[in-house]
Amino acid sequence: MKQKLKSIRPFIGAKNFEISRNFYTDLGFEETVLEPNLSLFKKGETAFYLQNAYVKDWIENTMMFAEVENAGDFWQELISLGLEEKYEGVKLTPIRTMHWGKECFVHDPSGVLWHFGEFF
């Protein structure tokens, strides 16, 4: 195929759409409401769709990976947000160093697991 891909934007669901919208805004994403039950969240060139849909097995098995410039700096900013205290179900896991780089983890209010990593 000769056409180049310009972006990839996965769809993720939310157990409580309003809480998840607030969570992602607090995480630093800018929201564009597309429909009453669908929003685009964007930070720089990275984007995803959040939809007001919840299927437990789907959500609890969804993982997202976002590359960051500096995992240590990102982690410090992340913990300063107080997300675990503000949102029920949110869990932060500190940086792990792997053979390929470093990453930390965030479970969102619905159970989606985010990997925020820096490649060596």
Side-chain angles (χ1 to χ4, degrees):
M1 179 166 232
K2 295 180 181 181
Q3 290 295 313
K4 294 181 182 180
L5 292 178
K6 292 178 69 176
S7 70
I8 187 166
R9 295 181 178 183
F11 286 77
I12 63 172
K15 188 173 189 176
N16 182 310
F17 190 57
E18 293 306 314
I19 289 173
S20 290
R21 290 174 65 205
N22 292 333
F23 171 81
Y24 285 111
T25 299
D26 285 350
L27 197 54
F29 288 92
E30 292 182 23
E31 179 184 18
T32 301
V33 176
L34 302 174
E35 298 176 8
N37 293 315
L38 180 67
S39 287
L40 173 68
F41 282 86
K42 192 171 183 180
K43 187 169 186 166
E45 296 300 314
T46 301
F48 66 93
Y49 295 102
L50 181 71
Q51 55 190 341
N52 188 12
Y54 180 74
V55 177
K56 185 176 177 13
D57 287 345
W58 167 48
I59 298 298
E60 292 182 357
N61 286 288
T62 297
M63 290 189 282
M64 305 286 286
F65 183 93
E67 183 180 0
V68 297
E69 289 179 343
N70 183 299
D73 290 346
F74 184 84
W75 174 251
Q76 291 305 313
E77 288 181 41
L78 187 60
I79 59 174
S80 74
L81 298 174
L83 298 171
E84 288 178 301
E85 294 78 28
K86 189 171 181 181
Y87 297 99
E88 185 178 335
V90 169
K91 179 182 172 189
L92 307 181
T93 305
I95 294 173
R96 289 192 315 188
T97 301
M98 312 292 281
H99 69 279
W100 54 266
K102 300 176 185 180
E103 65 180 340
C104 60
F105 307 91
V106 178
H107 282 90
D108 85 353
S110 301
V112 173
L113 175 59
W114 283 81
H115 298 240
F116 292 97
E118 167 192 356
F119 296 107
F120 290 139

